[in-house]
Amino acid sequence: PTGSKSILITRNLLDQQTSFSATSNDFRFSAAVATFGLLLRDSKHKEDATYDMVLKLAKEAQGKDTHGYRAEFIRMVELSELKASK
């Protein structure tokens, strides 16, 4: 933060072949959020993603939602889906 020059740092990551269903609720929920962003932008990278897919993923990965943020996200996706279908 105090420097004036950036330094490239590289790291190798190993693919542990973890199935998507074996990942944490946090990982799967964040995937739902990212996919929702792709849908909102009508990104070419959304492939066959749908609002229903985002809702299913988010609901299954909601987990402990102490402050209700995940439930609010789910409501936002539901409202966006209604608007998109009009």
Side-chain angles (χ1 to χ4, degrees):
T2 59
S4 60
K5 187 175 179 182
S6 65
I7 300 170
L8 176 63
I9 299 172
T10 61
R11 299 279 189 257
N12 292 327
L13 300 175
L14 300 176
D15 184 357
Q16 297 180 357
Q17 303 290 321
T18 304
S19 69
F20 189 72
S21 62
T23 60
S24 69
N25 282 340
D26 291 339
F27 183 89
R28 291 191 315 278
F29 194 86
S30 65
V33 172
T35 304
F36 181 58
L38 294 174
L39 288 172
L40 289 177
R41 297 184 77 155
D42 195 25
S43 171
K44 65 181 181 181
H45 303 290
K46 72 180 180 194
E47 298 184 10
D48 59 349
T50 64
Y51 289 99
D52 285 336
M53 179 190 301
V54 171
L55 282 171
K56 181 178 187 297
L57 185 56
K59 287 177 180 179
E60 289 175 356
Q62 188 171 1
K64 185 176 180 183
D65 189 16
T66 306
H67 300 289
Y69 298 134
R70 292 181 180 202
E72 183 63 28
F73 171 76
I74 291 168
R75 284 190 292 276
M76 183 172 57
V77 174
E78 290 169 340
L79 290 172
S80 296
E81 180 182 32
L82 288 173
K83 184 172 179 153
S85 65
K86 288 185 178 185

